[in-house]
């Protein structure tokens, strides 16, 4: 009997915010397994801002999703069938399933997830790509030195929450930027940030200045836009700006009105000797072992907290993704596609 | 008898290109020497783009010149009098004389120049700040790897000519950008660049693309503006952009018309994982010994050439500085303020 899989396919390139009409939710038969493959039942699907780029056909670091193809996405799955001697039915694995209920993947492209170590959904968040992004971005690109001031945008997001907490563990003053009062309170009271300000404030720059009395040595950039503009003038000489995302600009359809602010930005780069460095986590898997050792240890020791925002049902993925683009999620956004047998 | 010194004082903050009316050329008595000081007769005065920043009162990495003060500038001098046991009359030294015929400097702030090693004016150019800027910027910030493509703006300038030649010595493909055909020919035929294109071309981007068939791995930035815009789309993944100057923007009085290009620039930073790093040579004097050893050696071995554009007379400094801002000089611009006893 051929299993049907439910899929979210991209049928139109979104203009601005992705809309339900840009996608088709359909059922298609699961293909037969070839040699050394696994059939995966998607349990948790990760939704991440980078997916917006894949929906566009602008040249980027990775291939766009082709029209008619399933949307890209990492997931945690249960293995249902295997032609690989590395995996057996019942194993829990992580891989690039895409937005669908079942995926056939090469055994070499999936990695085992240990349900005994932590809830399996964390393989998509604090112990997955967002966690590694925070770890590499802050430690390798940010080069933090004890006593410095770190500002983290999207402070309660999957990446930001880890950046800030790792920053505290490294002896930094940590200031978050988030949307709501509730998120700001969470960053300070639960995650241990020194302060957190709302980017919805009309006085963002002044608010930020008040909580960064010694200026800013590291700005962990994931949003761009007005937040970046508020941070730039507060950067100290020799500040570092690791750039892992620019979510506020992902839905831009035209460049913002002028004037052209590039000369001002570059003047800051020169006179303050800034280092702005973009990075993509796929370049940094050589740090995965260190990451799991350190972050896994911090979680076990209760030194690093995480929060998940779990939405039920693949059919709700598009709406949840819209919420992600607009900052409505609170914690790592994950779709529960099917029952978690380990929960 | 008190010696009179001729000085160029800043009397108005320039708006746009500095004009003669922004300066006063006057004579004032030389102050008496305090303990451990030297009276210097300025022989060669260096004119450099960074001076434009000092004439402005915008916050920068160094103090602005105050109105009524002599303009900042490095010079090579003959010591006329000394209350220091480190220097004697007749010694040749380099220091921050400013735009004036005589200066009284603390002995700790001047360094000895050896007339036997090279013409003493080179202490302001190929063996001075511009040379060190090229050396540190390319080798430390640019992190060149053999076979990569380097693009150098202001290719025949005091910094650019060295960047390109050091690039060739390190096995890079070197492409220059300069103003005139004459300068481009010089870069290729005399300095050994692989190619050099004119930024006055209407088809700069296409011209550049044609001579960078493998894209650009290092862009040594000293100009900004249209040149930067032409280079950015050609940068390769993991390209480095050391920024030592932005001369095309120094005389901006308002930001350019829109749209705001910052989102486009930052998108390049992210998707191509660029590293853009501003640097100021005063932070890097720890590399001075290596620099003198390497560049001094290359000059002695005939592997590194330099060209000076020497203008006679302090009274011509303002006009010469205007020419520097507009790229009319050809080689390191130096004012011969008084007779060179070593020539």
């Amino acid at each position: 009997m051929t299993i049907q899989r439910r899929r979210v396919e991209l049928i139109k390139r979104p203009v601005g915010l992705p809309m339900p009409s840009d996608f088709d939710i359909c059922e298609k038969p699961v293909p037969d397994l070839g040699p050394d493959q696994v059939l995966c039942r998607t349990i948790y699907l990760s939704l991440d801002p980078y997916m917006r780029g894949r929906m566009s056909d602008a040249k980027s670091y990775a291939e766009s999703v082709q029209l008619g193809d399933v949307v890209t996405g990492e997931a945690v799955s249960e293995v249902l069938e295997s032609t690989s001697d590395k995996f057996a039915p019942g194993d829990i694995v992580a891989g690039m399933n895409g937005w669908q209920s079942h995926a056939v993947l090469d055994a070499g492209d999936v990695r085992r997830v240990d349900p005994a170590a932590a809830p399996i959904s964390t393989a998509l968040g604090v112990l997955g790509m967002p966690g590694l992004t925070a770890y590499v971005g802050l430690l390798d690109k940010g080069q933090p030195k004890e006593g410095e001031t770190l500002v983290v945008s999207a402070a309660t997001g999957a990446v930001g929450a880890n950046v800030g907490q790792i920053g505290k563990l490294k002896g930094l003053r940590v200031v978050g930027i988030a949307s709501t009062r509730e998120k700001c309170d969470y960053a300070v009271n639960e995650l241990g940030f020194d302060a957190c300000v709302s980017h919805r404030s009309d006085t963002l720059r002044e608010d930020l200045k008040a909580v960064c009395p010694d200026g800013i040595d590291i700005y962990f950039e994931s949003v761009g836009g007005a937040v970046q503009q508020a941070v730039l003038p507060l950067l100290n000489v020799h500040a570092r700006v690791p750039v892992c995302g620019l979510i506020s600009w992902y839905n831009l359809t035209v460049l913002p009105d002028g004037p052209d602010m590039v000369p001002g930005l570059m003047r800051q780069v020169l006179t303050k000797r800034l280092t702005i460095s973009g990075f993509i986590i796929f370049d940094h898997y050589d740090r995965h072992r260190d990451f799991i050792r350190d972050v896994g240890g911090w979680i076990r020791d209760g030194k690093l907290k995480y929060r998940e925002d779990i939405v039920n049902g693949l059919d709700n993925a598009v709406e949840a993704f819209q919420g992600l683009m607009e900052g409505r999620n609170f914690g790592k956004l994950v779709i529960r596609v099917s029952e978690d047998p380990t929960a």
Side-chain angles (χ1 to χ4, degrees), chain A residues 98-150:
Chain A
W99 294 21
Q100 56 185 349
S101 65
H102 297 77
V104 172
L105 298 174
D106 291 339
D109 291 342
V110 301
R111 61 188 165 90
R112 189 177 297 276
V113 172
D114 177 6
I120 61 174
S121 56
T122 60
L124 302 175
V126 66
L127 289 170
M129 271 198 292
L132 182 58
T133 300
Y135 183 85
V136 167
L138 179 62
L139 300 182
D140 297 353
K141 300 291 174 182
Q143 295 284 320
K145 287 177 271 300
E146 202 177 325
E148 287 189 328
T149 297
L150 162 69

Side-chain angles (χ1 to χ4, degrees), chain A residues 200-211:
Chain A
R200 292 184 183 160
S201 163
D202 290 336
T203 55
L204 172 58
R205 188 169 302 186
E206 292 72 23
D207 300 350
L208 204 49
K209 195 170 180 177
V211 292

Side-chain angles (χ1 to χ4, degrees), chain A residues 239-285:
Chain A
R240 288 80 68 200
V241 182
V243 181
C244 84
L246 297 162
I247 193 169
S248 79
W249 286 325
Y250 287 171
N251 291 319
L252 276 189
T253 53
V254 293
L255 287 167
D257 284 344
D260 180 8
M261 304 292 280
V262 168
L265 171 63
M266 292 300 295
R267 188 185 134 78
Q268 298 264 354
V269 167
L270 177 60
T271 59
K272 293 182 177 171
R273 299 86 114 181
L274 306 180
T275 297
I276 300 180
S277 45
F279 71 103
I280 302 285
I281 203 58
F282 307 116
D283 294 335
H284 300 280
Y285 272 94

Side-chain angles (χ1 to χ4, degrees), chain A residues 215-337:
Chain A
I216 299 169
D217 301 296
I218 306 174
Y219 171 51
F220 196 100
E221 169 66 289
S222 59
V223 300
V227 171
Q228 182 183 94
Q229 281 173 30
V231 168
L232 277 177
L234 299 177
L235 291 176
N236 289 331
V237 165
H238 296 134
R240 288 80 68 200
V241 182
V243 181
C244 84
L246 297 162
I247 193 169
S248 79
W249 286 325
Y250 287 171
N251 291 319
L252 276 189
T253 53
V254 293
L255 287 167
D257 284 344
D260 180 8
M261 304 292 280
V262 168
L265 171 63
M266 292 300 295
R267 188 185 134 78
Q268 298 264 354
V269 167
L270 177 60
T271 59
K272 293 182 177 171
R273 299 86 114 181
L274 306 180
T275 297
I276 300 180
S277 45
F279 71 103
I280 302 285
I281 203 58
F282 307 116
D283 294 335
H284 300 280
Y285 272 94
D286 57 318
R287 292 283 272 150
H288 194 261
R289 181 187 296 259
D290 298 335
F291 159 67
I292 292 293
R293 180 197 63 219
D294 289 348
V295 174
W298 290 327
I299 291 175
R300 270 194 307 279
D301 298 345
K303 291 180 177 170
L304 198 145
K305 298 181 183 176
Y306 62 92
R307 179 182 179 120
E308 295 176 323
D309 186 339
I310 296 185
V311 172
N312 281 313
L314 184 63
D315 290 16
N316 295 318
V318 173
E319 191 188 339
F321 188 72
Q322 289 181 321
L324 178 69
M325 287 287 104
E326 295 178 334
R328 291 202 302 268
N329 60 305
F330 188 176
K332 171 68 189 107
L333 182 60
V334 172
I335 302 289
R336 187 188 284 118
V337 176

